[in-house]
Amino acid sequence: MTSAERIQYLANVLYFFPKENPELVQSALFTQICNTLEAEETEVLKAQQYHQEKGFKVTPVGIFSRQVSNLEDMLLFAFQHEQLDAVDKKVLLSFSKTLGFSQQQIQMLASQSRERLLQQTQWEACWQCGTQKLRSFRFCPECGAHQKHTIALLESQKKQSPCFDPKKNKGLCLAFDQDIHSDVLLHLARSAPKYQEIAKSEQAGEHLWSFATWPQQKILDALPLATQLSKQSETQRGVYIEGVPQPWERCFAFLDCLQQRQCTYHPAEHCFGLNTDSPNIWGCQRAQLNWDKDASWLCDGQFESEQVFCLDKAKINHRLQTNLQNYHLCPFLQLKKIEHMLSQLPEKILIDQKNWGYQKITKERPGAITLDKPQQFAIGVAPLQFDEAQLWIKKIFEPMW
């Protein structure tokens, strides 16, 4: 970055500093940002003066990755306000849209900035040895001393919390053992519409567990917590749907795919695989039924004649149901539209060598037909272009598109 770009970058961040907390300019957070930019002291001073000038405007500078980092740093300090005013919200939204971010991507960045803020600020010194540690630690990692306020909280929860039976809890419930020692998890869990902390008796003794519940239709709001819990041990987390315990992977196998989607310039293109060499018509790459010349699902059926292939839609539907069963909670998976797409596929496909050709093999097998060329057999159909499929996608998935 040039000197002018570093000054603008820092001025953008300083614009969001809470006026009621000016000492943040000297904070470790801001120093870390300056060090990352390798900003000189004179550049920091110029940025402090520049952002206070009349007519100053928050402006993206540098390459795209720097602009994203700038937005993350601005959000970091914006969240330290007791309440962000409408003007500042508008500035942040305008900056985000300049980068081409969707509403979901903006929400994801905001969530990550909140987590980063908590990780940087929720520390305290051990009462016995002075070692810096997270507030939620029940024991000091250095000297092992019990942290009295955490123990007191556990005892209080044992006495005051009502009996909580997850099986009677409606919606999507995420649970975790607070021995994980994470203020980030606690912050995310306590933002849920329904939250409880319950002391549970286990073989290793008393453990304090958190239970955070969202309506299933609000699963997007639960994903920041689910993403963090996916990094934890299976014995220290749990998930319930409508009161029924579920295997974690059965519910959240889609998280890695979702993160890739959020990083795509046009998120819908990720779902349809349009940014890859293997597009699909289902709106989900995990369906594994791609629009390829060698797609095995386009061999599901039988030849009515040498020029006509009849699709076995029941078998194709079975493939879809099997492949998508671990992704059913993905908020962008549209099962009804997938059913509609399947119904729109032609019952019979005409092999005209323009839109459709043959899938060929060199050894005969049941169901294959013999072609004119020696030692060539057709086992299914191969799409030769994607134009017609794109029209189906835009018609059926139009709101998403």
Side-chain angles (χ1 to χ4, degrees), residues 15-34:
Y15 176 84
F16 291 97
F17 270 46
K19 295 179 176 58
E20 67 274 10
N21 197 4
E23 65 272 12
L24 279 176
V25 176
Q26 306 298 328
S27 71
L29 283 174
F30 188 63
T31 301
Q32 185 181 45
I33 293 171
C34 294

Side-chain angles (χ1 to χ4, degrees), residues 95-337:
F95 191 99
S96 302
K97 289 187 174 180
T98 300
L99 303 189
F101 285 165
S102 66
Q103 188 65 35
Q104 290 84 3
Q105 289 171 313
I106 295 170
Q107 290 174 354
M108 183 70 73
L109 277 177
S111 175
Q112 291 171 350
S113 295
R114 288 190 184 96
E115 293 173 20
R116 180 180 167 198
L117 179 61
L118 284 167
Q119 290 170 347
Q120 296 277 355
T121 59
Q122 297 300 312
W123 292 76
E124 67 177 8
C126 169
W127 63 271
Q128 179 161 292
C129 70
T131 298
Q132 289 292 315
K133 62 170 190 62
L134 284 171
R135 292 179 182 274
S136 60
F137 280 18
R138 295 172 61 191
F139 301 94
C140 174
E142 181 65 26
C143 68
H146 283 202
Q147 302 304 297
K148 298 176 181 178
H149 74 278
T150 309
I151 297 170
L153 174 63
L154 181 61
E155 293 300 321
S156 172
Q157 292 294 335
K158 284 174 64 178
K159 295 176 182 178
Q160 298 178 14
S161 295
C163 181
F164 177 66
D165 182 0
K167 294 180 180 180
K168 297 180 180 178
N169 208 34
K170 299 300 181 182
L172 173 68
C173 178
L174 301 179
F176 62 91
D177 187 345
Q178 289 194 12
D179 274 6
I180 293 174
H181 304 314
S182 172
D183 283 310
V184 173
L185 292 181
L186 287 173
H187 171 76
L188 294 172
R190 288 169 180 163
S191 68
K194 183 177 181 180
Y195 175 76
Q196 287 183 277
E197 295 179 347
I198 307 297
K200 293 173 61 179
S201 296
E202 301 179 4
Q203 290 182 351
E206 293 285 353
H207 287 251
L208 190 61
W209 276 68
S210 291
F211 293 86
T213 305
W214 287 264
Q216 279 204 62
Q217 63 269 28
K218 296 288 185 180
I219 188 172
L220 271 173
D221 296 338
L223 292 185
L225 178 58
T227 301
Q228 292 296 321
L229 288 177
S230 292
K231 305 171 186 177
Q232 308 302 329
S233 165
E234 291 186 7
T235 61
Q236 292 184 300
R237 70 185 183 203
V239 56
Y240 302 82
I241 297 179
E242 299 301 322
V244 180
Q246 302 286 338
W248 188 268
E249 286 303 315
R250 176 78 170 81
C251 297
F252 296 114
F254 68 87
L255 286 177
D256 287 342
C257 185
L258 180 64
Q259 289 177 348
Q260 294 172 25
R261 183 186 193 277
Q262 303 292 5
C263 295
T264 304
Y265 188 72
H266 292 297
E269 288 189 357
H270 170 79
C271 297
F272 289 94
L274 298 182
N275 54 353
T276 72
D277 295 330
S278 299
N280 71 83
I281 61 174
W282 315 104
C284 182
Q285 292 191 44
R286 296 303 186 266
Q288 299 179 45
L289 274 64
N290 297 328
W291 194 261
D292 295 332
K293 291 182 179 180
D294 58 352
S296 60
W297 67 276
L298 288 172
C299 298
D300 291 342
Q302 59 185 359
F303 283 95
E304 182 178 276
S305 66
E306 187 174 329
Q307 299 298 321
V308 177
F309 185 79
C310 300
L311 286 175
D312 186 343
K313 292 190 177 182
K315 190 172 182 179
I316 296 171
N317 183 56
H318 181 265
R319 284 180 183 259
L320 287 166
Q321 297 295 327
T322 301
N323 293 346
L324 293 175
Q325 61 181 342
N326 285 348
Y327 304 94
H328 67 287
L329 283 184
C330 176
F332 300 103
L333 181 65
Q334 303 189 54
L335 294 175
K336 290 185 177 180
K337 292 191 175 182

